[in-house]
Structures are given as C-alpha cells and as structure tokens.
Amino acid sequence: MIDFLQQLNDVQRQAVQTTEGPVMVLAGAGSGKTRVITYRIAYLIGEENVAPHQILALTFTNKAANEMRQRVDELLHSGSSRGLWIGTFHSIFARLLRNYIHLIGYDGNFSIYDSDDSKSLIRQVMKELNIPVDAVPVNTVQGIISKAKNSFILPDQFHAQASDYNGQKAAQIYEVYVRKLRENNALDFDDLLIKPLELFQAQPAVLEQLQHYFRYILIDEYQDTNKAQYLVAKSLAAKHRNIFVVGDDAQSIYSWRGADITNILNFQDDYPEASVFKLVENYRSTQTILQAANGVIKRNRRQIEKELVSRQSSGEPLTLLESFNEKREAEKVGEYIRTWKLTKGFDYKDFAVFYRTNAQSRVLEDIFRMDRIPYRIFGSVSFYKRKEIKDAVAYLRFIRNDQDTESLLRIINFPPRKIGEVSIGKLRDYALTNNSSLYEAILKAEEADFPARLRNALQGFIAVIEQLKDIAKEGSVYDVLSALYESTGITSLLQAENTPESMARYENLQELLSMARDFSDHNEGTNGLNDFLNGISLATDYEEVQEDDNYVSLMTVHAAKGLEFPVVFITGLEERLFPLNYYESDELEEERRLFYVAVTRAQQKVFLSWAKSRYYYGQPQTCMKSMFIDEVDSSILITESGKKQSNGSVSEKKQSIERCNGRTPVPSSVSKSGGNSSSDERSSGLKSGTRVHHAMFGPGIVLSVQGTGERQKAKIKFRNVGEKTLMVQYANLTFEQ
C-alpha cells in the first residue's frame, strides 16, 4: 500500500481505494474533498498502474485543476501527471472539440467567443430581425440563450416552449444566432458544453472511442453541474462506469447559473450499484458551529442526510447581534472586530463579514472607513467604484457644476441616447470654435448645423439636466436622485433586463437612493448636494487595503464558498433579505443552503446579525429577523450580554410580519387539507381580484389562487413587473387599503 494513504481517515481511504464502478463521495464542508480526489488519482497511477491519459478529471476552476496536478506530482515524487486529462469542463471539452469538431461541420481552428463577442453578435442578429434592443435587452437575450444551452435545449425545442414576449423574441434570435456562429466558425462558452453532445449524437463511433480511452472519470463539485455537463459526463462514463463524483448537496447554491441539484440527488438512480461515502469529519470548525449548521440544513426536504462532526473542541456559542438599523449594525461589527483584535489576539485578516447582496457592502464600507478598519471587497469592487454608482453620481456632480466635462462625457449617453463619438466630436469642435463649455455647446445645438437626430437627442438630455437642476434648488438629495431614476429610466431598464447582473446593479442604485434618503433625513437645512458629494468623493479616494495584507474581508456569501476564516459575521439576517425574497420551496431551500455555507466558513466563532429597520429603495422599513436565526439551536446561541437566546417559532414570527406602511398582512395559510378553489381562497383570505402589495414588486392584483396550507400559491399581476406566481406562506404580501 502506498504510504500516503496513511494520511487519510478511514472513510477517505475507502473512497480512494474503491476504484471500480460508480462512486459518490458526499464531502461535507471542511471534510477534505480535494484531498480525496488528488489521492485517488495518485492511487490509480501509483498503485493500480493506470496510464495517466486514461484518467479524466473535471473541475470548475483552473486553480483547482492546477492544484490537483501539483499535489499528484508531490505524492508520487515525479512528473507522473504528464498525460493526465485534468482541467475545467470548458477547457477539456474545447480540447476534445479541436480534434473532432470537423465531423459536425466546423473547422478545428474555430474561434471561441467571450461574453462581449456574443453580445455583439446578438445585437447584429437583432438588427437583422428588426427587434429593437429597448424592447428586449441584449443581456436578457444572452441570458435566456445561455440558460437554454446549459439545459441542452436547442433552437427548435426552445421555440416550441417559448410562451412570453421575451421568450418568443429570444427564440427567433437564438435560431439566427446559432446559424451566425456556424457561419463564423465560432463557438461561445456554452457551445463548449453542448457541441460534444451534438458530436456524440452525430458520431457514435467517436463517443465509443472516447469511452474506451477514458477509463476513469472524476468530477469535482458535482452539485454545481448543469444538465449539459451531466449529460456529457454520463455519456463518457457509460462503457466502464468508473465515474467518481465528489460534492455536497448542502452547498448547492448556484441554480441561477444553471446548476442542477438533482444531478447529485439522483446519482444513485443513475447508478444503482454506486458506492456512496459520506465525509462528515470536519477539520475546520468547532462542534458548536457545526451543530448550528446541521440544525438548520436538516430542515431542507431535498437533501441527502448527513451530519458533520468536528475534529476540534465544542468551542464558543454563536452570538446574536440585534441592532436598531443597518448603520448601527455596521458599527457593532466594527466594534467587535476592534475589541477582539485588542483582547483576543486576532489580526484584521482573521475576520470576514458576509452579506446576501452586494449592495449591503455600502454601509459597512462607510463605517469601516470612519473607524479606520482596513478592508477589502472580494468578488466585487468597492461600492462607490461600481459603474452604475459612478454613473448616477456623475449626474449629481454635473447638475451642481455644468462645467464638469468629465462628468458630462460619462452621462451624455447613459442611458443610451445614440450620441456616439462622432457626435461628441462635433460638439467639441463647436464648443472650441465658440469658446464655450461643452454643455453650452449642447444648449446651443438648435443654432448649430447638427443633424436633426442629434438635436433631438440633445434636447432630451437637456430636459433631464435642467429638470434636475430645478429640483436641486429646493429639494433634497433624495428628491434629486428619485427624479433622476424616474426621468432617465435607468432603474426600469435594469429591471427589464432581469439578469442576475442587472438586478445586482439595480440593488446598488437602490442602496444609493437609501443612502440619499438617510442623508436627507438627517441633514436638513445644510447645503445637501455639495455635502453629499463631498462625502462620496472622500469615500472614493479611500484605499481599501491600508495595512499590507492585514485587512477584514467583505463579501457576499456566494463569494465566500471555498474560503475559511477564524471569525465570521453574517449580517442582514432579516426576512426578505436573507433569505432573499423567495417564492417557491426550492428557492427557500437554496437560501438555507447558502446560510449553511456561510456558517461553515467559520473556524472558531460566528456572529449572526440583524437590524430592526433598514432602508429599502429609499424608504425606511421595519424588519423582522430571519427564520434562519430561529432555526439555530437556541442552546448554542447567546445575546451580546451573554444570555441564552430564546427563539420563537417560525409560525409565531410570521404572525407579526408586517408592522409598516399601514398595510394589513395577508395571513399565512396553515390548513393542510385539500379543497376546491373557494376553500383555497378562504385559507389565506386571498381571492381573484384581491389587491395586494409586495415589498419588491409593489402593487398587484390576484389573478388566481391554488392549493392550501404551506403549498398555497397565488398568481398575481404586478403593476411594474408583470405576472408572478408566489408561495403565499413566504411572499409576505399585504392587503392594499
């Protein structure tokens, strides 16, 4: 037996040595997942004498692939990984396609289009089809096509399934887009996943050859695979059935990227003879932290049961921080960081602060700058450096100072007004000739010999600027920013785009509006706009990392996956924020998995934090603490004073959900019995025609109600976003008065 196997625990060793047949390793957080994969590869090569080229190892990042290859070489004390097929799904499939894609009509020297190339081609297709980009945003189309490809839905099938307006337009674009890619001998990133499937269907002999070649297939992070990745892996493994997958269903948090949790949940259905190993020994966290995580995740219905056990001591209880508002919450986090650094010997780098949405970083950044706590934003950029924030702030700067040419150039075509570089060049020449500022040249556009189209676009821009100037004379910063969003439609455009990226930008702009409202509420009678912008300028000049690499890490929970820190703060634990607005049980379960990931990043201590009020979309709102806090075992949860936390039941908490805006809460339906539509309606008081309000979607009218009890759903037509089907129990609707 190879000596390095002694470095594994019993379950890890068994998984490594079970080399024949399908194997699933359920690797809980901090249980040594990567070690099992690399040791198995080394064992196959060093002990079973498997040729490296017969091993295919698929990962999701180049970093993971490189680390695995390096570890294999270290274990075998040689360059034994030479010939090993190890890399990301995209890189490995691209390599295969270079050799075989000529068999399905492409040249092996195909181009690979990145996201920008793809968008450019989509715009070209939309122009040919006379579909205006303001009717269906390019990013929306790209997202719809990408989702279809990842689910291996080709144009004909997608066209048959398209129901709404966006889907029908996207179906037309999808068909032509695919044809254009082929004409250009190009593939986009999603094609790298689906073209192998097309190849296998068209050329069974190639599939048989590859099945024979790859005797052993290993897949990392199997819970994150999409349908296309699943189908390719299943096809390649069909001959030898030596497929080895490692993952954790409890850490499946990327459904919005196309990840399909059923791939790991149904592994034993695909391979009834599979050996299953559960890695539950956690080498990272204390037993108390794991007890909290175990207690919450067990409430999910769709899961493979397991319970993590720590190799460490029980450790400290979790601490619950309760604050009046989000500013006080950030202050408390900063206070605990400074105190623990001074009294317990921690460095700044030992602390991480997690939040559910990127927009939440703003108040934390403001407080940390004020308190001189060095920090770094992971997975994003500092709030004030985000493009949409810089664009909105540029408007504010320009209405204060219309000589500011840099701000003018930033906003003149935002949102798009078809004022391109050629038009700007003409304006510059006119300004130079008439010895005026660029904005003065714009104001005199009617006198100049500019094309009518440009004059009309400039008049629209002038109308916006002058309106905002008038509001700024008497109104608050909040009034100005609200008018900016309304007159330019920038927030509506982002909502219409409806992609994860656009909604993140939308949330950031709403956070800026909340900041403006907070500022306006507390700075009456001051030179509001100047002071507001001065504060932003100082914040923008702040250097995030000030003390070498010793800084607090700020990030969303999604960005935290795969990382670990001695002390973790999970902030914004409020209903509708974390869990984020969820409408179906599957979405709620993913939110719970996200909370599980957050808790299990901590090695020694977890702080759970929530605020009783928070600015949402520029308005102060009463908040209710997250159900996830109540799901933590109360015996291991203490308050700031050190007392045990007494948690109320989720049902009790739901009864007091709405105490703001003067609206009446829609009762949570609790009946478990079935019934006809009238009983469905009586269980919650909802019926067709009822006018309701939702925190994010705004006012709406109920179209229909289905089911009773916990499974009751309501189909609602919202004024701003169209039709949505929501789970009544979790939607937190209120009756409109």
Side-chain angles (χ1 to χ4, degrees), residues 491-656:
T491 51
S492 299
L493 289 172
L494 292 172
Q495 282 184 300
E497 190 175 313
N498 196 31
T499 63
E501 294 78 12
S502 72
M503 293 311 295
R505 294 197 294 272
Y506 173 82
E507 293 289 342
N508 286 332
L509 286 172
Q510 294 298 342
E511 178 62 22
L512 184 66
L513 187 65
S514 293
M515 176 186 171
R517 176 60 183 268
D518 188 27
F519 177 89
S520 299
D521 288 348
H522 294 90
N523 292 274
E524 294 183 10
T526 64
N527 188 359
L529 187 54
N530 279 333
D531 291 344
F532 184 76
L533 289 173
N534 288 344
I536 290 178
S537 296
L538 293 173
T540 305
D541 288 340
Y542 178 84
E543 184 63 33
E544 288 181 25
V545 180
Q546 296 178 331
E547 297 183 11
D548 301 321
D549 293 329
N550 191 20
Y551 48 77
V552 178
S553 298
L554 306 183
M555 67 192 77
T556 64
V557 183
H558 280 102
K561 188 172 181 290
L563 304 177
E564 58 184 39
F565 302 90
V567 183
V568 162
F569 294 83
I570 308 174
T571 62
L573 280 168
E574 298 131 35
E575 293 293 305
R576 302 182 188 153
L577 185 55
F578 197 1
L580 198 61
N581 295 286
Y582 50 84
Y583 316 110
E584 298 284 355
S585 57
D586 287 352
E587 294 172 329
L588 175 58
E589 293 205 352
E590 180 153 332
E591 290 292 307
R592 190 174 280 115
R593 294 194 293 269
L594 199 57
F595 180 78
Y596 174 88
V597 167
V599 172
T600 54
R601 298 311 93 195
Q603 297 168 313
Q604 300 176 38
K605 178 71 177 182
V606 173
F607 290 88
L608 306 179
S609 177
W610 74 288
K612 292 182 177 180
S613 66
R614 187 179 295 270
Y615 277 96
Y616 281 101
Y617 308 151
Q619 301 296 327
Q621 300 283 331
T622 300
C623 303
M624 185 173 64
K625 71 178 178 180
S626 169
M627 66 172 65
F628 297 155
I629 294 175
D630 284 344
E631 291 175 358
V632 172
D633 186 342
S634 60
S635 69
I636 57 171
L637 185 61
I638 62 173
T639 64
E640 295 172 73
S641 63
K643 295 180 180 179
K644 289 286 181 66
Q645 169 68 19
S646 176
N647 288 340
S649 69
V650 174
S651 60
E652 289 172 344
K653 190 169 58 161
K654 291 262 176 213
Q655 294 174 8
S656 60

Side-chain angles (χ1 to χ4, degrees), residues 336-395:
Y336 271 96
I337 288 173
R338 290 197 307 272
T339 300
W340 277 50
K341 183 175 183 294
L342 291 172
T343 63
K344 297 181 181 290
F346 288 100
D347 287 327
Y348 287 123
K349 64 184 178 183
D350 296 324
F351 298 95
V353 185
F354 300 156
Y355 34 82
R356 180 62 182 83
T357 66
N358 265 312
Q360 291 169 255
S361 76
R362 194 272 304 172
V363 67
L364 289 161
E365 292 184 66
D366 286 349
I367 296 301
F368 281 20
R369 279 192 302 271
M370 189 182 305
D371 291 347
R372 297 186 177 277
I373 297 175
Y375 68 87
R376 178 180 172 188
I377 305 285
F378 276 82
S380 182
V381 296
S382 180
F383 181 82
Y384 299 106
K385 295 179 182 178
R386 295 169 192 168
K387 179 185 180 301
E388 60 277 9
I389 300 301
K390 294 177 73 173
D391 290 336
V393 169
Y395 268 102

Side-chain angles (χ1 to χ4, degrees), residues 35-55:
R35 170 173 286 201
V36 170
I37 299 175
T38 53
Y39 278 54
R40 180 181 176 87
I41 295 172
Y43 183 81
L44 287 170
I45 297 171
E47 185 73 12
E48 298 291 320
N49 297 315
V50 175
H53 71 262
Q54 293 183 305
I55 300 172

Side-chain angles (χ1 to χ4, degrees), residues 104 226 338 411 555:
I104 55 173
N226 60 35
R338 290 197 307 272
I411 64 177
M555 67 192 77

